[in-house]
Amino acid sequence: MLDQRLRLFASQKEALSKLEALFFAEAESRTLILSGESGSGKSTVVQEFLNGFSGTIRGYTTVRHRSADGKQVAFQHLLLSDASIPLELTLEYPDKLPADFEYFLMRDETQLVFDRKAFMKLAEYMSPVQILKNRQPDLMLWDEVGGEELLVDSFYETLIYWLKKKDKPAQIIVWKKQHHKSKLRLAHLCATEIELLDKRRQTILDYPAVYIYDLDSENIIL
């Protein structure tokens, strides 16, 4: 758990109250999608929520690694059964990024590499067999979802399983919005893949009994 409180703005405080309300909802309705543009503070809200959360958690968060000059950026999954939420979700290095981490996405000035196999491993980690190995956790965290990983069948099917399951833990899904910049990063996908990705994104957003809180609009959608 974190040792210090984070500074939240008005919309983030409202989102925090929605997360806290999850545990008073009916089991089928205990999934909240926390949406917002990059930099809107989605992960900050989750950090603050988990800072005061004493229940059991399974899931993952995403740590960003970047060079000081901004030329190298990489993203790594942190499994929450192995470690607590880190104080910083963005780590900066004066020179090159460490080579001994398992990054699922790396980009520099010349290329972007996305490792779909990392999400196959993540699907196994989030599977009901693994999640329920000991006892059902109080909370599941998916941080984050909405990009190319939804083209990994096992990952998408695992997420849909937990959306459909009636007797399930509370869930927080940190949602990745698609805008012009992110669409450029998906330029390597073929038309069929882009169509499938859009369809799967909409299926999740349209799923019954899911609450969507958008930090950009400060609205909650039932």
Side-chain angles (χ1 to χ4, degrees), residues 45-104:
V45 171
V46 172
Q47 277 184 292
E48 178 70 2
F49 174 74
L50 295 181
N51 184 39
F53 185 72
S54 58
T56 54
I57 307 171
R58 288 299 297 268
Y60 67 95
T61 190
T62 300
V63 179
R64 178 171 64 172
H65 302 261
R66 68 184 180 194
S67 59
D69 59 11
K71 293 181 179 180
Q72 284 187 309
V73 181
F75 297 85
Q76 170 199 16
H77 291 137
L78 185 67
L79 305 182
L80 297 184
S81 65
D82 299 335
S84 59
I85 292 286
L87 186 60
E88 297 291 340
L89 291 176
T90 298
L91 303 177
E92 189 169 283
Y93 305 88
D95 194 8
K96 294 183 179 180
L97 305 186
D100 55 346
F101 290 138
E102 292 187 14
Y103 303 117
F104 67 86

Side-chain angles (χ1 to χ4, degrees), residues 32-219:
L32 187 140
I33 293 178
L34 186 60
S35 177
E37 295 287 353
S38 177
S40 63
K42 301 184 296 294
S43 293
T44 299
V45 171
V46 172
Q47 277 184 292
E48 178 70 2
F49 174 74
L50 295 181
N51 184 39
F53 185 72
S54 58
T56 54
I57 307 171
R58 288 299 297 268
Y60 67 95
T61 190
T62 300
V63 179
R64 178 171 64 172
H65 302 261
R66 68 184 180 194
S67 59
D69 59 11
K71 293 181 179 180
Q72 284 187 309
V73 181
F75 297 85
Q76 170 199 16
H77 291 137
L78 185 67
L79 305 182
L80 297 184
S81 65
D82 299 335
S84 59
I85 292 286
L87 186 60
E88 297 291 340
L89 291 176
T90 298
L91 303 177
E92 189 169 283
Y93 305 88
D95 194 8
K96 294 183 179 180
L97 305 186
D100 55 346
F101 290 138
E102 292 187 14
Y103 303 117
F104 67 86
L105 187 150
M106 291 188 68
R107 68 172 182 266
D108 56 25
E109 294 178 302
T110 62
Q111 64 177 347
L112 184 150
V113 179
F114 185 87
D115 182 10
R116 293 192 183 186
K117 290 182 180 179
F119 285 91
M120 295 178 187
K121 294 179 182 178
L122 198 56
E124 182 178 354
Y125 173 76
M126 299 295 280
S127 70
V129 172
Q130 293 298 320
I131 293 293
L132 303 176
K133 182 181 291 184
N134 297 313
R135 68 180 181 87
Q136 181 164 289
D138 299 306
L139 174 68
M140 291 177 64
L141 175 64
W142 308 73
D143 181 15
E144 62 182 356
V145 177
E148 187 176 345
E149 64 276 1
L150 292 179
L151 294 177
V152 179
D153 291 340
S154 58
F155 180 80
Y156 174 73
E157 290 162 5
T158 300
L159 177 56
I160 292 297
Y161 169 87
W162 287 109
L163 288 179
K164 288 182 176 179
K165 185 172 170 56
K166 293 184 177 181
D167 181 19
K168 62 189 173 192
Q171 296 188 101
I172 301 171
I173 300 174
V174 180
W175 188 252
K176 185 186 305 178
K177 279 190 172 180
Q178 295 285 36
H179 46 74
H180 179 67
K181 190 174 181 180
S182 58
K183 286 181 178 179
L184 289 176
R185 294 174 187 159
L186 299 175
H188 61 285
L189 300 179
C190 67
T192 301
E193 288 177 313
I194 291 174
E195 183 180 358
L196 178 59
L197 176 57
D198 289 343
K199 180 180 179 181
R200 288 183 170 183
R201 282 175 55 86
Q202 202 58 49
T203 297
I204 294 168
L205 292 174
D206 290 344
Y207 205 83
V210 166
Y211 294 83
I212 303 174
Y213 186 83
D214 189 344
L215 279 169
D216 300 320
S217 66
E218 302 183 24
N219 289 327

